[in-house]
Amino acid sequence: MANIMKLTPKPNKQANIWYKNYMVLIFVIGLPVLVVVICLFFIFYSIKIQDSTVRDDWYMDGKTLYQDSSRDQLAHDLGVFGVMRLSWHANTTDIRFELNYPTNNLSAQNFHNDTPLTYPDELSVHISHATDDTKDRDFTIIHQKDNVYVGKVQLDDTPAKYYLQISSPKPQNWRLIQHENLPKSNIIFLPLSSFDEERRILPDQRNKRPSAKP
């Protein structure tokens, strides 16, 4: 009987080399490397481009943070309010602020605490972007005549939420605060209603309590 030669295929050495196997390159090496690169990017992003905090009257006593609302309450007690008018231009924004006092104080020319009613020579304005502190602006507006204050500032006209505050120097160190989406033409500043007397008294809830009797 003739010998039948059996042909056996030679092993493909190229297929057995691990770094030439696309499954190994994609799933064993590629995906973990991609995850590491993405994690490093987000770590860098969170450190270098972190959200800024909004400024306010906070102070620290020991390890406890407290918010000082005395200036807000003084504005409420004095009854001051105002309107800010913004004229948007290419490079600058013109600010006009009209400071108003209660009618009875204007006629008496003094406040309720017998302090003479006067208009400060200048007012401080703080405009804070909700997330980007590079767009925050601090400036002063100057008293022109009557109750009118004017000033100029360079503001970003990209629509965004801002926190605004106007404050007076001492001795009447009051503050008016407001939050608005800018750009906007008119912003009304009113004292905080949380200091109203009727809000300080808790309503009677006795008739809403469940009865103890079955």
Side-chain angles (χ1 to χ4, degrees), residues 89-198:
H89 303 290
N91 297 322
T92 60
T93 302
D94 294 332
I95 305 294
R96 174 188 171 96
F97 182 73
E98 300 169 6
L99 176 63
N100 298 311
Y101 294 123
T103 305
N104 55 344
N105 295 127
L106 286 174
S107 59
Q109 287 300 305
N110 58 19
F111 293 106
H112 66 282
N113 55 3
D114 294 332
T115 303
L117 188 149
T118 58
Y119 290 98
D121 294 333
E122 62 183 28
L123 298 175
S124 299
V125 182
H126 305 283
I127 301 179
S128 302
H129 192 276
T131 57
D132 188 357
D133 59 0
T134 62
K135 298 180 181 180
D136 294 351
R137 298 292 182 266
D138 296 341
F139 59 100
T140 58
I141 51 179
I142 308 302
H143 184 222
Q144 289 291 95
K145 60 177 182 178
D146 299 331
N147 66 334
V148 176
Y149 292 79
V150 296
K152 292 181 180 292
V153 66
Q154 185 176 3
L155 295 175
D156 192 325
D157 58 358
T158 304
K161 183 177 181 179
Y162 285 84
Y163 297 88
L164 304 96
Q165 72 174 44
I166 297 178
S167 58
S168 170
K170 295 180 179 179
Q172 298 294 343
N173 189 13
W174 49 261
R175 180 181 71 165
L176 294 172
I177 58 176
Q178 185 59 276
H179 57 86
E180 286 288 352
N181 293 324
L182 298 182
K184 193 173 184 180
S185 299
N186 299 317
I187 302 175
I188 299 176
F189 288 81
L190 297 174
L192 296 179
S193 58
S194 57
F195 295 105
D196 293 345
E197 289 292 338
E198 58 270 16

Side-chain angles (χ1 to χ4, degrees), residues 56-59 66-72 175:
D56 208 338
D57 284 3
W58 293 85
Y59 65 93
Y66 297 92
Q67 184 179 22
D68 182 11
S69 59
S70 59
R71 296 196 298 163
D72 304 320
R175 180 181 71 165

Side-chain angles (χ1 to χ4, degrees), residues 20-39:
K20 291 187 176 182
N21 189 324
Y22 75 95
M23 298 292 288
V24 174
L25 294 177
I26 294 176
F27 295 103
V28 178
I29 299 177
L31 288 180
V33 171
L34 180 62
V35 171
V36 170
V37 171
I38 293 175
C39 291

Side-chain angles (χ1 to χ4, degrees), residues 34-58:
L34 180 62
V35 171
V36 170
V37 171
I38 293 175
C39 291
L40 291 176
F41 169 76
F42 280 112
I43 292 174
F44 174 81
Y45 186 87
S46 62
I47 294 175
K48 295 295 183 181
I49 318 177
Q50 58 183 339
D51 290 341
S52 59
T53 57
V54 177
R55 299 169 297 173
D56 208 338
D57 284 3
W58 293 85

